[in-house]
Amino acid sequence: MTKPLDLDLDLVIVWHMHQPDYRDHATGEFREPWVYLHALKDYSDMAWHLECHEGMRAVVNFTPVLLDQLEDYARQFASARLADPLLALLARRESTPLTPAERDAAIRHCFRANHHNMIRPFAAYGRLFDLFRQVDGHGDESLDWLSDRYLYDLVVWYHLAWTGETVRRESALVARLMSQGSLFSEADRLALFDLTREVVSGILPRWRALAASGRIELSTTPHHHPISPLLIDLAAARETEPKAPLPAAPAYPGGRERADAQLRSAIESHAHRFGEAPEGLWPAEGALSGPFLRLLGARGLAWTATGEGVLASSVRQFQGRPMDRARDLYRPYRFPTLAPDLAVFFRDDRLSDLVGFEYQRWVGPDAAANFVAELHAVAAAVPEGERPVVSVILDGENPWEYYPYNGWYFLDALYEQLVADAAVRPTTYRAYLAARRAPRDEGGDALAPAAYGELAGITAGSWVYGNLATWIGSPDKNRAWDLLVAAKQSYDLVVGSGRLDEAARAAAARALGDCEASDWFWWFGDYNPAEAVASFDRLYRTKLAHLYRTLGLPVPQAVEVPISRGAGHPEAGGAMRRSAAG
């Protein structure tokens, strides 16, 4: 039986902010600029919208590895010792000509943006691109025809294109430079560098203030964003894909301890940065399994979440029936035999993907109105007498370059309409669980919160198709795992020998954690652009090499060889999918 039209629901939006570690720790140099560019554009815009809509509530998930890098950039700005080549180009003095490496860096970086929304809207930037295409058609040597003035203008326009919409609306400098269009002086570039420094260095204080005001709940992810179910058991991939090919190695050595170490580090670093331990955790890529739930429960976390597909598989496996979205999806779950005190929420994949992929093609206020109407439809469909909790979980950084104006009109209208709608209660998981625990007065709510669902177990999977195939199962992904297993075996031998002092052991542990990140395995696959695959292939192997050197061992030859056929292999083929912008 469905509810009458006295609609009411709780809405939790989770914005997940993550970038892998782009640093070459042997040199300290950032190999990619995506952390500070997303800070300049997305982390600043997302904070502004929440600052300006007082009644809005959301969960914001920052991975510790992202926060590590944001703090690194803040130190760079404070010391004026820049470790990012692109940022250094923005701040470069013109007393000497650009070097060949600097010229290459400018060309390599400064057209990596959404062409439709971040290049073509600006006529002067579009002309720079058109000129490059004309020259590039005559071969690599013809790029020498491009003057230093052209390249400096290109660097300025790239940073202007990556400024957040809210930054543009508040900065007279950005408006002036965009109006000027070309022939930017050294003083112009240095002023834009100062603005970049101000915005990027201010990101963490702004988000701390939002958390202190109660408008957001900050949550975390295991430190370097590993796929924890696979660290614990590589065969977890077969819980949804029984015939999935696995790496040659039977297991990741000490994987359960490594998953717990990544978890412990995340909780400790969050407490250090924000003054309190997190109550909840978004697992990397929403990847959960039974053994990983046990670890989360043992660490005292109050909540976690994953994708709808994981719930569908778990209901099918442990209750022997298909999932009923209206009855099953919009409630928290308990797993008494795994983590009895942990509440598990499941993402509404359809609503989340509307924001992530579909609404970019809509007029912003129309998209917001449609989203609210979809929420009303959910409230009308759930069992009578229950107030559903709807979880909308997605990247807080990657969608916006596909939206006009970095999603400004959509987010502004969305928050305004959600706050104004009497049937929708934007909240956080912390506040939702606290309200459930609080005694109700005699009047109470007209609708009771959705009852806890209960499952005897969980099928290992993620928010990507409900399985783990994005990170394991293909030849390239499996080879990447085998290289990691070999490195971990070497790590165990050296650390176990006792020949490393405390500082060296800590450095080796950090290097190992970096190598365990999910991102290195994600990028392998012919669904991604070949250039991006090659870049991440090199960076992953650079990190493995750094781990071996930290252990005082020679780098194995296998680490020197590209993993992917799309990364310099003589039989390399085509690719395509995700933006290389992290």
Side-chain angles (χ1 to χ4, degrees):
M1 185 174 183
T2 59
K3 283 170 49 177
L5 293 180
D6 55 342
L7 306 176
D8 198 6
L9 62 79
D10 291 297
L11 170 67
V12 179
I13 297 180
V14 181
W15 298 117
H16 173 53
M17 314 293 199
H18 167 64
Q19 293 293 313
D21 196 335
Y22 294 113
R23 293 170 293 186
D24 179 344
H25 287 282
T27 64
E29 182 176 289
F30 278 78
R31 291 290 187 90
E32 298 288 355
W34 304 125
V35 168
Y36 89 84
L37 291 177
H38 279 295
L40 182 62
K41 184 168 76 72
D42 304 304
Y43 309 147
S44 59
D45 271 6
M46 296 296 283
W48 186 93
H49 285 289
L50 287 163
E51 289 163 348
C52 291
H53 292 86
E54 187 174 351
M56 189 61 198
R57 300 291 182 268
V59 176
V60 180
N61 189 84
F62 278 105
T63 63
V65 68
L66 169 59
L67 296 175
D68 292 343
Q69 293 174 92
L70 284 171
E71 291 173 347
D72 192 327
Y73 275 105
R75 288 191 294 270
Q76 290 180 53
F77 286 123
S79 68
R81 298 176 62 183
L82 302 178
D84 188 300
L86 183 61
L87 193 59
L89 271 178
L90 183 64
R92 192 188 191 280
R93 301 288 179 173
E94 295 182 18
S95 54
T96 59
L98 293 171
T99 67
E102 289 171 324
R103 294 173 62 83
D104 178 69
I107 292 294
R108 180 163 42 89
H109 283 297
C110 291
F111 292 118
R112 292 195 295 176
N114 182 280
H115 190 83
H116 180 71
N117 290 320
M118 296 177 68
I119 296 179
R120 280 302 171 195
F122 310 109
Y125 195 8
R127 286 194 295 272
L128 293 174
F129 178 74
D130 291 340
L131 180 57
F132 165 74
R133 291 293 299 271
Q134 292 178 29
V135 172
D136 189 44
H138 295 280
D140 290 344
E141 292 182 0
S142 64
L143 296 179
D144 293 339
W145 300 344
L146 298 174
S147 68
D148 282 9
R149 175 56 49 212
Y150 169 93
L151 294 171
Y152 280 128
D153 277 10
L154 179 60
V155 169
V156 168
W157 264 112
Y158 191 62
H159 286 83
L160 290 174
W162 274 89
T163 53
E165 184 66 18
T166 60
V167 177
R168 293 176 193 170
R169 289 169 183 253
E170 296 179 346
S171 170
L173 171 68
V174 171
R176 178 179 69 78
L177 294 179
M178 285 186 163
S179 178
Q180 179 179 328
S182 63
L183 300 177
F184 301 115
S185 67
E186 180 179 300
D188 290 333
R189 280 191 296 102
L190 294 177
L192 185 56
F193 173 83
D194 286 340
L195 176 66
T196 301
R197 172 186 51 76
E198 179 184 337
V199 173
V200 175
S201 299
I203 292 298
L204 286 183
R206 290 175 72 181
W207 286 106
R208 286 192 190 100
L210 279 165
S213 73
R215 296 191 192 182
I216 65 169
E217 175 186 358
L218 289 171
S219 62
T220 193
T221 294
H223 198 116
H224 289 90
H225 202 264
I227 302 298
S228 300
L230 293 177
L231 291 186
I232 296 170
D233 182 6
L234 295 175
R238 288 184 169 168
E239 292 187 25
T240 51
E241 303 287 330
K243 296 183 179 180
L246 295 180
Y252 183 61
R256 186 182 302 271
E257 290 74 21
R258 286 301 308 156
D260 192 48
Q262 292 263 10
L263 177 58
R264 181 183 66 252
S265 178
I267 293 170
E268 291 174 353
S269 68
H270 187 100
H272 174 72
R273 286 173 166 125
F274 301 114
E276 61 178 358
E279 287 200 17
L281 173 141
W282 170 250
E285 307 290 358
L288 289 179
S289 65
F292 187 43
L293 276 184
R294 290 185 190 276
L295 289 181
L296 296 178
R299 286 288 169 188
L301 290 160
W303 65 263
T304 190
T306 183
E308 177 180 331
V310 176
L311 178 61
S313 297
S314 302
V315 168
R316 186 167 51 249
Q317 179 177 351
F318 293 100
Q319 295 188 350
R321 62 176 178 85
M323 181 184 74
D324 180 328
R325 292 181 93 249
R327 187 179 85 178
D328 297 327
L329 182 58
Y330 304 109
R331 58 178 59 191
Y333 278 76
R334 296 288 195 197
F335 292 80
T337 62
L338 298 172
D341 298 323
L342 182 72
V344 182
F345 296 85
F346 292 90
R347 173 185 191 256
D348 185 314
D349 286 352
R350 181 173 176 277
L351 284 178
S352 302
D353 288 347
L354 282 174
V355 178
F357 303 106
E358 174 61 30
Y359 287 149
Q360 62 191 245
R361 292 183 280 271
W362 291 46
V363 175
D366 292 347
N370 180 264
F371 183 87
V372 173
E374 293 282 354
L375 292 176
H376 287 188
V378 168
V382 300
E384 184 174 0
E386 282 194 5
R387 186 176 72 242
V389 55
V390 180
S391 296
V392 173
I393 306 172
L394 68 151
D395 285 347
E397 53 201 5
N398 288 318
W400 310 120
E401 69 180 273
Y402 300 95
Y403 276 73
Y405 302 97
N406 210 43
W408 191 94
Y409 289 100
F410 169 69
L411 284 168
D412 186 59
L414 178 66
Y415 288 174
E416 181 177 348
Q417 293 185 35
L418 288 174
V419 170
D421 194 300
V424 178
R425 184 183 308 173
T427 188
T428 65
Y429 288 134
R430 169 188 283 172
Y432 176 84
L433 293 172
R436 294 182 69 100
R437 292 190 293 265
R440 299 184 182 277
D441 59 28
E442 193 169 314
D445 288 335
L447 300 171
Y452 278 104
E454 190 170 296
L455 284 166
I458 191 168
T459 306
S462 74
W463 69 346
V464 184
Y465 308 123
N467 59 40
L468 300 173
T470 301
W471 304 274
I472 197 169
S474 71
D476 291 348
K477 297 175 192 294
N478 288 349
R479 183 172 173 232
W481 276 105
D482 283 328
L483 289 175
L484 179 60
V485 168
K488 179 58 162 55
Q489 290 169 335
S490 296
Y491 172 90
D492 289 343
L493 287 171
V494 171
V495 172
S497 72
R499 69 173 185 253
L500 298 182
D501 61 24
E502 184 177 352
R505 285 197 305 273
R510 286 193 298 271
L512 176 63
D514 201 2
C515 294
E516 292 169 341
S518 71
D519 306 84
W520 319 128
F521 307 95
W522 191 99
W523 281 96
F524 293 118
D526 60 7
Y527 47 78
N528 281 317
E531 181 182 356
V533 174
S535 174
F536 275 80
D537 187 330
R538 286 192 299 272
L539 186 53
Y540 175 52
R541 290 183 292 107
T542 296
K543 290 179 178 297
L544 287 171
H546 176 64
L547 172 58
Y548 280 103
R549 294 189 184 104
T550 303
L551 294 169
L553 298 175
V555 178
Q557 185 176 1
V559 174
E560 307 288 351
V561 179
I563 294 169
S564 175
R565 291 178 178 267
H569 190 282
E571 300 177 17
M576 279 299 145
R577 188 192 179 275
R578 179 181 174 185
S579 164

